[in-house]
Amino acid sequence: MKRAIPVLVLSVAGLIPVWRYVPSHDGGSSSTVTEAAAPASTPSASSSGGATSTVVSGSAIDTEKGPVQVEVTFDGEKIASVRMLQQPNHPQTTAAVPKLIEETLQAQSADIDTVSGATITSDGYKESLQAAIDANG
């Protein structure tokens, strides 16, 4: 019994730092562009040599992990590129974004698969992307 009390106290003391641990996300592995935007901005068109490009920002979607917002460049009705304006600063998000963008360019719609391990970000991405597609008409 004399050993049980010190063992218990030392065990609890050793677990306190583990319980208080908060992972750091400032490793510079992802960048978040913060820009204020309306829920679904009006398309802006730019013309270069006959081809019309339209850049549309999707809605800023608040998720449990942080805000998600995309900017889509359209060439006519075709999705030419997608850029993240806002994204959660998490390693899963950093790994998922290129996959989401690649699938978007292949599917040419917001009907894409969710990236495993980044479900919340994927759902926010798809919602913001659909808002941009709807705003483009």
Side-chain angles (χ1 to χ4, degrees), residues 3-137:
R3 289 186 187 175
I5 292 174
V7 168
L8 180 64
V9 170
L10 291 174
S11 296
V12 170
L15 289 174
I16 289 174
V18 174
W19 290 328
R20 298 191 65 200
Y21 176 74
V22 176
S24 173
H25 295 292
D26 60 341
S29 60
S30 72
S31 61
T32 302
V33 178
T34 54
E35 294 180 10
S41 66
T42 307
S44 62
S46 63
S47 179
S48 59
T52 302
S53 292
T54 306
V55 178
V56 182
S57 296
S59 300
I61 307 301
D62 289 321
T63 70
E64 294 173 27
K65 302 291 184 182
V68 176
Q69 184 179 23
V70 301
E71 179 183 82
V72 183
T73 302
F74 295 93
D75 281 336
E77 294 297 314
K78 182 181 177 190
I79 298 173
S81 67
V82 179
R83 182 172 76 101
M84 294 295 286
L85 294 178
Q86 296 183 65
Q87 70 185 53
N89 191 11
H90 291 280
Q92 296 92 342
T93 298
T94 304
V97 167
K99 295 174 187 175
L100 291 167
I101 291 172
E102 181 182 334
E103 283 196 38
T104 300
L105 296 175
Q106 288 177 358
Q108 290 295 304
S109 73
D111 187 22
I112 59 174
D113 291 332
T114 298
V115 175
S116 179
T119 303
I120 293 169
T121 299
S122 296
D123 291 345
Y125 173 91
K126 290 191 283 187
E127 190 174 338
S128 183
L129 177 63
Q130 186 63 55
I133 291 169
D134 293 344
N136 188 49

